Amino acid sequence: MKILILENDQIFQSELKEYLVNLGHHCIGCCYKQDAKHYLVDTVYDLLILNIDHETQDGLELYAELKVENFTTPVIFTSALTDIETISKAYDMGGSEYIKKPFHIKELGYRLQKLSYEIENIKREHILLSPNYSYIKKENKLLHKNLVQPLTKKQFHIIECLCKNIGTIISFDLFREYAWGSDLVSDATIRTELSRLRKVLKEDFIQNYKGIGYKVDRYVKAPK
């Protein structure tokens, strides 16, 4: 898994990274919220480990900002704080686990093992469409780097039609039925809407088959 660690204690952060790397994970560590946000812009992570300390509360603040943007990645909070309000807030925000400091580093491994099923379920539900785009079947959401892509209602219906028929060329008639319902629209109108949608997307994963229709395929990562 790709894991991002936000931990202001650099020695402990290094210990966590070393332990997780030895378990076969790829880890990035940072001490401050802004550094973490920088990494999240460029990379999709499978898990975040966020510390909540007395002074900055960076872990909670970061996650609150991400949740506003419909962030879906599982989170483990770590903290030496014992007040029930902080613990409750971490869970209420959607945190998957809360580990109280100090803890034995192997406890983190056990928590990861427990979360692995949830994380694998998320991966199975996500149809990868490009290096950074995925579609969540169960929730009918298009994500870019784990953040929901803003779309108009019509654009969303088009994406939904493409992703629910992945690998199949969608004809103008099927688009007309799925996205426009009983409205009589021309092929030119549908092409124009597809063109607008492709301009909104940050990566172009929609394939155009001239005069026939459009298609999306599952994106397969190249082996390292």
Side-chain angles (χ1 to χ4, degrees), residues 33 50-54 56-65 67-68 75-79 81-99:
K33 179 180 70 174
L50 307 179
N51 179 54
I52 310 168
D53 64 24
H54 288 273
T56 65
Q57 298 271 316
D58 269 4
L60 281 178
E61 289 179 4
L62 173 63
Y63 195 49
E65 292 173 14
K67 291 295 282 185
V68 169
V75 172
I76 294 177
F77 285 107
T78 66
S79 180
L81 301 177
T82 58
D83 61 285
I84 191 63
E85 287 186 9
T86 301
I87 297 171
S88 297
K89 189 174 182 180
Y91 279 116
D92 290 343
M93 289 172 62
S96 302
E97 293 281 347
Y98 185 100
I99 308 178

Side-chain angles (χ1 to χ4, degrees), residues 45 155 193 195:
Y45 290 90
Q155 290 168 348
E193 195 64 48
S195 178

Side-chain angles (χ1 to χ4, degrees), residues 31-198:
C31 294
Y32 304 105
K33 179 180 70 174
Q34 292 306 317
D35 294 333
K37 290 186 73 172
H38 171 76
Y39 286 117
L40 289 166
V41 167
D42 297 324
T43 305
V44 176
Y45 290 90
D46 300 307
L47 176 70
L48 306 186
I49 299 174
L50 307 179
N51 179 54
I52 310 168
D53 64 24
H54 288 273
E55 296 178 2
T56 65
Q57 298 271 316
D58 269 4
L60 281 178
E61 289 179 4
L62 173 63
Y63 195 49
E65 292 173 14
L66 295 173
K67 291 295 282 185
V68 169
E69 300 176 4
N70 294 300
F71 195 74
T72 60
T73 299
V75 172
I76 294 177
F77 285 107
T78 66
S79 180
L81 301 177
T82 58
D83 61 285
I84 191 63
E85 287 186 9
T86 301
I87 297 171
S88 297
K89 189 174 182 180
Y91 279 116
D92 290 343
M93 289 172 62
S96 302
E97 293 281 347
Y98 185 100
I99 308 178
K100 184 182 176 304
K101 290 180 175 180
F103 59 88
H104 195 288
I105 200 165
K106 285 187 177 180
E107 182 179 352
L108 180 60
Y110 298 141
R111 301 294 183 103
L112 284 180
Q113 192 173 20
K114 180 182 175 183
L115 277 175
S116 62
Y117 181 75
E118 176 186 335
I119 292 168
E120 285 305 312
N121 271 346
I122 290 172
K123 287 183 177 180
R124 280 193 292 270
E125 279 292 322
H126 285 211
I127 300 173
L128 198 60
L129 301 169
S130 73
N132 296 300
Y133 269 107
S134 62
Y135 179 79
I136 311 179
K137 293 184 289 184
K138 189 174 181 180
E139 300 177 20
N140 291 332
K141 289 180 180 178
L142 180 67
L143 303 182
H144 180 259
K145 294 184 178 179
N146 282 354
L147 300 178
V148 174
Q149 168 72 55
L151 296 172
T152 66
K153 186 176 180 180
K154 193 71 67 184
Q155 290 168 348
F156 169 75
H157 285 315
I158 291 170
I159 285 292
E160 185 179 24
C161 185
L162 286 165
C163 291
K164 288 189 174 180
N165 297 278
I166 196 158
T168 301
I169 298 175
I170 306 301
S171 67
F172 290 96
D173 285 340
L174 185 52
F175 276 128
R176 192 175 289 112
E177 177 183 347
Y178 198 95
W180 277 267
S182 59
D183 295 342
L184 296 177
V185 295
S186 65
D187 289 359
T189 298
I190 296 173
R191 280 194 295 269
T192 299
E193 195 64 48
L194 263 295
S195 178
R196 288 174 182 158
L197 171 59
R198 295 172 82 180

